[in-house]
Amino acid sequence: MLFGRGTWPEASRIAEILRQETIGGALLLAGAVIAVVWANSPWSDSYESLRGFTVGPASWHLDLSLATWAADGLLAIFFFVAGLELKREFVAGDLRDPRRALVPVMAAVGGVVVPALLYLLVTSGTDGAAKGWAIPAATDIAFALAVLAVIGRFLPSALRTFLLTLAVVDDLIAIAIIALFYTSDLAVGSLLLAFVPLAAFTFLVQRRVRSWWLLLPLAFATWVLVHESGVHATVAGVLLGFAVPVARSERAGGPEAGPGLAEHFEHRFRPLSAGVAVPIFALLSAGVAFGGLSGLGSALTDPIALGVLVGLVLGKPVGILGATWAVGRFTRAELDGDLAWVDVLGLALLAGIGFTVSLLIGELAFGGASEADDHVKIAVLTASLTASLLAAVVLRIRNRAYRRIHEAETADLDHDGVPDVYQREEGPDGPVTG
C-alpha cells in the first residue's frame, strides 16, 4: 500500500525532527527576507561589504569571505546532520525495509532527473548554461516544512514522513552531485591526507567516544583538508556523519538499550544546523538586487533563470508524481484508502521549494557575484514562492479531509501514547507492533 502508516517509533521520531525543522525553516525564511530587503535598500553597499568581509588564517588558505565561510563552513554542519539522518534512515529507520524505501527513493530520483532534463532543454543553446543543470534538483526541507506548518497543520503523518524521507534521499543525491560534478582542480594529496583525521574520528566514535575536545579538532582537520583538496568542503560533513555508529554497542546493551551515538549527535547538532547554520547561510547568500520591476522581468527572461523556474515549479512535481505513480503501477500497490493522488500532487509541488542547496550549486556552477548567479538567486526565490502558493492551493482543498484523518489518528492514541493502529496483533509477550 502506498503511504500506509509506518512504525510508531519511527513516526514519533520523525515528528520530532519535523518540529525542529519547522522552526529552522521559519528562521531560514526570516534570514532570506532580511537579505533580499537589505540588498535592495539604500544600505545595499553595507550588505555586500558584510558578505565580502574576509577573515581566517591565510597560511591555511582559509582567508575566506563571510559568504564563503557560510557556504563552505556552516553548511558543513547542515550536511553533517544530513549524513547522520541518512545513515540512521538506511540502518535503523523505515528505509532499511526495501519495500518502504522504494517509493520515496524512486520519487526522489524522479524529482532530480526530470528538473535537470527540463533545465537542459530550456537552456539549450545558451553558452555555459549547462553547468547549472543540478540547480533545480534539490528540495529545501526546512523551507518546505515552514510552509507546511502554515498551510498543512493537519496533513496525515504518512504524507509528512514521505516528504521528509524524500528530502533525505534528495540530499544524498545532491551530495553525490556536488562531489562528482562540482569539484575543480582536485588536489589528490590533500584529499588522501583528509582520510587520516577522518579515520581517527571514525575510530573514536566507533568506540563511542563523545569527548568534544577530541572529536572537534579531528572534524575540523578533515574539513580543512577536504576544502584544500578542491572537493566542496560540505562533503566532509557528510563523511563525518556517515562515520558515526547508529546502534548502541553490545556492551552498552545493543539496539534495544536506546538511541545510539548518531541519534545523540543528531539531537545535539540539528538545532545548531536548523537554527543557526542554515539561517545565516540564507542571510549571506539570498540577497540579490532586483533592479526594480524592469530588472526583475529581465532576469526572469534569462534562459538560465527560466530553466531553474521550469525545473523547480514543473519538473519537481512531474518527476515525483510520475515516479510515485509508476512504482504503484509496477508493484500494483494502491493508495491508502483515506488519501488521493491530489495529496501526492500537493507534496510534489511543495518539493519545488529549492533554496539552500540550489543556491549553493548556483554559486558553484557560475561563481558568486556573477550575473548568472544573481539570475539563479532570483529564479530560486521566485520558484520557491510560486511552489509554495501552488502547494497551498492544492493542499487547502483537502484540508477538511486532513482534519478528519488527524482526528482519527489522535483518537487512536491509547493510555500509553501508542496508537492502537500500530498494535496489529497480540503475541505471547504483548502487542506485536508493525
Side-chain angles (χ1 to χ4, degrees):
M1 178 179 291
L2 297 177
F3 306 109
R5 297 189 192 184
T7 59
W8 171 245
E10 188 67 5
S12 58
R13 189 184 70 85
I14 286 178
E16 177 61 29
I17 292 173
L18 291 173
R19 281 192 288 272
Q20 294 185 32
E21 290 288 1
T22 300
I23 295 171
L27 294 174
L28 182 155
L29 289 173
V33 169
I34 292 171
V36 171
V37 171
W38 194 353
N40 288 276
S41 73
W43 304 280
S44 58
D45 288 344
S46 64
Y47 177 74
E48 291 302 326
S49 297
L50 176 67
R51 292 185 76 250
F53 184 77
T54 301
V55 62
S59 58
W60 291 0
H61 301 142
L62 292 178
D63 48 337
L64 309 173
S65 68
L66 290 181
T68 303
W69 273 112
D72 291 12
L74 289 179
L75 282 193
I77 301 173
F78 168 80
F79 280 106
F80 173 69
V81 174
L84 292 172
E85 177 63 20
L86 283 166
K87 186 172 181 180
R88 171 69 177 75
E89 283 296 322
F90 283 100
V91 172
D94 281 351
L95 288 186
R96 72 185 186 279
D97 182 351
R99 294 172 300 174
R100 287 188 180 277
L102 183 61
V103 175
V105 167
M106 294 308 299
V109 171
V112 169
V113 172
V114 175
L117 291 176
L118 286 180
Y119 173 90
L120 291 173
L121 181 64
V122 172
T123 60
S124 60
T126 303
D127 288 341
K131 292 185 295 184
W133 64 271
I135 294 171
T139 295
D140 193 297
I141 186 60
F143 199 148
L145 290 176
V147 173
L148 192 62
V150 176
I151 65 175
R153 291 188 301 122
F154 301 108
L155 196 72
S157 58
L159 292 178
R160 291 175 179 269
T161 301
F162 171 74
L163 178 63
L164 179 63
T165 307
L166 182 150
V168 166
V169 179
D170 194 292
D171 282 341
L172 177 60
I173 298 173
I175 291 161
I177 288 172
I178 290 170
L180 294 174
F181 298 100
Y182 292 95
T183 295
S184 58
D185 302 322
L186 180 64
V188 177
S190 296
L191 185 60
L192 292 176
L193 280 175
F195 286 97
V196 176
L198 177 61
F201 179 92
T202 303
F203 174 78
L204 290 174
V205 293
Q206 289 294 327
R207 294 180 67 85
R208 276 61 180 181
V209 173
R210 302 185 183 188
S211 304
W212 64 268
W213 52 273
L214 282 173
L215 298 180
L216 283 185
L218 291 171
F220 182 70
T222 304
W223 179 86
V224 169
L225 289 167
V226 171
H227 180 274
E228 186 72 13
S229 74
V231 176
H232 197 265
T234 53
V235 174
V238 181
L239 295 176
L240 291 164
F242 283 169
V244 180
V246 170
R248 285 176 176 259
S249 65
E250 292 300 325
R251 188 177 60 183
E256 293 77 16
L261 196 56
E263 196 164 342
H264 170 76
F265 282 172
E266 193 178 328
H267 283 305
R268 287 286 186 91
F269 285 94
R270 187 177 291 280
L272 179 62
S273 170
V276 179
V278 173
I280 291 177
F281 170 77
L283 176 65
L284 294 175
S285 300
V288 57
F290 293 141
L293 290 177
S294 60
L296 181 61
S298 175
L300 291 177
T301 56
D302 176 68
I304 292 175
L306 278 176
V308 173
L309 267 170
V310 172
L312 285 171
V313 177
L314 180 62
K316 271 289 185 183
V318 169
I320 292 171
L321 192 62
T324 304
W325 178 85
V327 170
R329 185 69 179 261
F330 177 75
T331 61
R332 303 194 179 194
E334 296 182 356
L335 281 176
D336 185 280
D338 291 326
L339 303 177
W341 281 105
V342 69
D343 304 321
V344 186
L345 174 61
L347 285 188
L349 287 167
L350 201 60
I353 299 175
F355 192 81
T356 305
V357 179
S358 293
L359 292 179
L360 174 61
I361 294 177
E363 288 187 10
L364 294 176
F366 300 113
S370 65
E371 184 180 39
D373 185 47
D374 286 346
H375 290 172
V376 166
K377 290 179 180 179
I378 292 173
V380 169
L381 290 169
T382 304
S384 297
L385 179 60
T386 304
S388 301
L389 294 174
L390 291 174
V393 171
V394 172
L395 292 176
R396 293 294 290 181
I397 292 172
R398 292 267 294 162
N399 196 53
R400 184 175 297 178
Y402 299 152
R403 188 186 294 268
R404 187 180 67 251
I405 296 169
H406 175 75
E407 290 173 354
E409 288 180 340
T410 305
D412 279 339
L413 291 175
D414 66 4
H415 64 280
D416 293 322
V418 180
D420 293 332
V421 71
Y422 292 101
Q423 300 177 352
R424 295 190 179 138
E425 57 180 291
E426 286 286 329
D429 300 317
V432 177
T433 59

